[in-house]
Amino acid sequence: MRTNRALRTPGGLSLRLDVRSTVVVGLILLAALTASVVLIGTGDFPIPAGDVLKTLLGNGNAGQEFIINELRLPRVLVGLLVGASLGLGGALFQAISRNPLGSPDVLGLSQGATAGALTMIVLFSGSATQVTLGALVGGLVTGFAIYLLAWKQGVHGYRLVLVGIGVSAIVTAVNGYLLTRSTLTEAAQAVVWMTGSLSGRDWAQVWPLLWLCAVLLPLVLANARGLRMIEMGDDVSNALGVRVERVRLLLLVAAVLLTAAATAAAGPVSFVALTAPQLARRLTRSPGPNLVPSLCMGATLLVTADWVSQKVFGADQLPVGVVTGVLGGVYLLWLLVTERKAGRI
C-alpha cells in the first residue's frame, strides 16, 4: 500500500505527495551532490572533500579556488545538467510512446544531433560554437521529421518508435558517409565528439543549459497531469478533458530540445536517457512518468560515471560516454532477460 499526503495552501491549491517517491528523490539528490563533491576533488591535483566544500563556500586559498571554480566546477555542472536533461527527456519519450525502449538513443535524436555536428566539422571546419549549434539544429530537425512521419490522425506510441528506428538507421548511414569525407584530423575530432565527453567543458556550456532547463522544467511539470492521463490511452484522456495532441506535441518539443541541447553540450552520451527513467521507476515503485525522479537519476548517473572513468583510468583518459555505454548495455541486456522471463516479450 502506498502512503500519500495531500498538501494544501491557504489559497486553496492542493498537491498530492507520494512519501516513497519524495524520499527516493531526496536520496538520489544526496547521491548526486556527494558524487559531485568527490568528482570536483578528483584529478591530477587531488583535493579533499572538506576543502572542496570550504572552497565552494568561499573559504579556500587562491590555488584551490582557481582549480575548483574555473576548471572543475563547470565540468561537473555540465555533467549534472546534461544528465538531468537526458533523464527528463528520456522519461518524456517513454511516457509518450508508452514503450520502455522509447528513448532518444533508439528514436534517432542523438544520431540526428551527431549528424548536425559532423556536418559542421567535416563540411565547414566549424569552431566549437558552430559544432554545438550544428548539433542542436540537427537534433531539432530530426525530431521534427520523426513527428511528421509518425503523424496519422495523431501520433501513437508504436508508430513513433518504429519511425524513430527507421530515421535512426538513415541518419546513422549519413554519419558514416560524412566520416568517409573527412580528413584524419577531422575524423579524430569527430570520433571524440561522437563518444560523448565532459572534458574541457567550461562556463560557456553551463549557462545555455541552465537557462533552457529553467524554462522547460516548469513547462513540463505543468503538463505532467495531462501526460499521466495520456498513458491510459487517447480515448480515456479525451474523455477526461485532456487536449491530447496539444500536450503530446508540447512535451515532444520539450523532450527534443532537452536531448538536443544535452547532446550539443557533451556529445551523444549513450544510455542515460534509456536507463535513468526505468531505474527511477523501479526505486519509486510509482506509476506514471516519474519526471522529477528521472531527472535526478540522470544527473546522478552521469556524474558518477564521470567519476568512475577518472578514478579508474585517470583524468580525461576515458570519455564518460564509454562508461555509460558499457553500463547501459549491461542494464539493457538485464532488462531484456527480465522481460523475457516475465513473458512480456
Side-chain angles (χ1 to χ4, degrees), residues 46-180:
I47 302 176
D51 291 342
V52 171
L53 292 174
K54 285 170 54 179
T55 304
L56 292 176
L57 294 174
N59 298 319
N61 59 47
Q64 290 175 339
E65 287 183 356
F66 174 75
I67 292 173
I68 291 175
N69 295 331
E70 298 300 324
L71 300 180
R72 296 182 182 174
L73 180 59
R75 172 182 178 141
V76 172
L77 290 177
V78 170
L80 289 170
L81 290 169
V82 167
S85 299
L86 291 175
L88 181 57
L92 290 172
F93 278 116
Q94 290 178 22
I96 291 171
S97 64
R98 299 200 290 275
N99 190 316
L101 297 179
S103 77
D105 305 310
V106 176
L107 297 180
L109 292 171
S110 298
Q111 291 84 347
T114 301
L118 287 179
T119 299
M120 300 306 298
I121 292 172
V122 174
L123 301 183
F124 301 101
S125 300
S127 63
T129 302
Q130 291 171 326
V131 171
T132 299
L133 182 61
L136 184 61
V137 172
L140 293 174
V141 170
T142 304
F144 184 68
I146 293 173
Y147 183 83
L148 287 182
L149 292 172
W151 174 269
K152 184 180 180 183
Q153 297 178 346
V155 174
H156 299 282
Y158 285 106
R159 188 161 61 240
L160 183 69
V161 172
L162 290 174
V163 169
I165 291 173
V167 171
S168 175
I170 294 172
V171 178
T172 299
V174 171
N175 292 341
Y177 170 73
L178 288 173
L179 283 175
T180 63

Side-chain angles (χ1 to χ4, degrees), residues 5-319:
R5 294 288 186 272
L7 301 180
R8 291 181 174 83
T9 66
L13 296 177
S14 64
L15 175 67
R16 187 175 64 84
L17 188 66
D18 188 307
V19 175
R20 181 185 176 91
S21 296
T22 304
V23 172
V24 168
V25 168
L27 292 175
I28 295 173
L29 284 176
L30 179 61
L33 293 175
T34 303
S36 299
V37 171
V38 174
L39 179 57
I40 291 174
T42 303
D44 294 331
F45 183 77
I47 302 176
D51 291 342
V52 171
L53 292 174
K54 285 170 54 179
T55 304
L56 292 176
L57 294 174
N59 298 319
N61 59 47
Q64 290 175 339
E65 287 183 356
F66 174 75
I67 292 173
I68 291 175
N69 295 331
E70 298 300 324
L71 300 180
R72 296 182 182 174
L73 180 59
R75 172 182 178 141
V76 172
L77 290 177
V78 170
L80 289 170
L81 290 169
V82 167
S85 299
L86 291 175
L88 181 57
L92 290 172
F93 278 116
Q94 290 178 22
I96 291 171
S97 64
R98 299 200 290 275
N99 190 316
L101 297 179
S103 77
D105 305 310
V106 176
L107 297 180
L109 292 171
S110 298
Q111 291 84 347
T114 301
L118 287 179
T119 299
M120 300 306 298
I121 292 172
V122 174
L123 301 183
F124 301 101
S125 300
S127 63
T129 302
Q130 291 171 326
V131 171
T132 299
L133 182 61
L136 184 61
V137 172
L140 293 174
V141 170
T142 304
F144 184 68
I146 293 173
Y147 183 83
L148 287 182
L149 292 172
W151 174 269
K152 184 180 180 183
Q153 297 178 346
V155 174
H156 299 282
Y158 285 106
R159 188 161 61 240
L160 183 69
V161 172
L162 290 174
V163 169
I165 291 173
V167 171
S168 175
I170 294 172
V171 178
T172 299
V174 171
N175 292 341
Y177 170 73
L178 288 173
L179 283 175
T180 63
R181 291 284 307 274
S182 62
T183 64
L184 288 178
T185 303
E186 292 170 343
Q189 180 186 359
V191 169
V192 171
W193 190 92
M194 290 171 64
T195 305
S197 174
L198 296 175
S199 177
R201 299 310 186 264
D202 56 26
W203 291 104
Q205 282 84 36
V206 172
W207 296 116
L209 267 175
L210 184 60
W211 282 111
L212 183 69
C213 291
V215 171
L216 292 181
L217 182 57
L219 180 66
V220 169
L221 294 180
N223 289 275
R225 179 183 177 276
L227 179 61
R228 188 164 184 171
M229 297 297 105
I230 290 175
E231 285 189 315
M232 297 189 297
D234 289 2
D235 293 337
V236 174
S237 302
N238 285 318
L240 293 173
V242 178
R243 300 174 64 181
V244 174
E245 287 307 322
R246 178 182 177 276
V247 172
R248 184 180 283 133
L249 177 59
L250 185 65
L251 294 180
L252 274 174
V253 170
V256 169
L257 284 172
L258 288 166
T259 303
T263 305
V269 180
S270 58
F271 282 112
V272 174
L274 175 68
T275 58
Q278 298 185 34
L279 289 175
R281 187 176 295 111
R282 290 177 182 275
L283 289 175
T284 61
R285 298 179 186 174
S286 175
N290 284 276
L291 299 179
V292 175
S294 299
L295 179 151
C296 298
M297 181 60 73
T300 304
L301 285 177
L302 194 53
V303 293
T304 303
D306 195 31
W307 175 78
V308 169
S309 68
Q310 292 195 48
K311 191 68 175 178
V312 177
F313 298 95
D316 300 329
Q317 295 300 309
L318 185 70

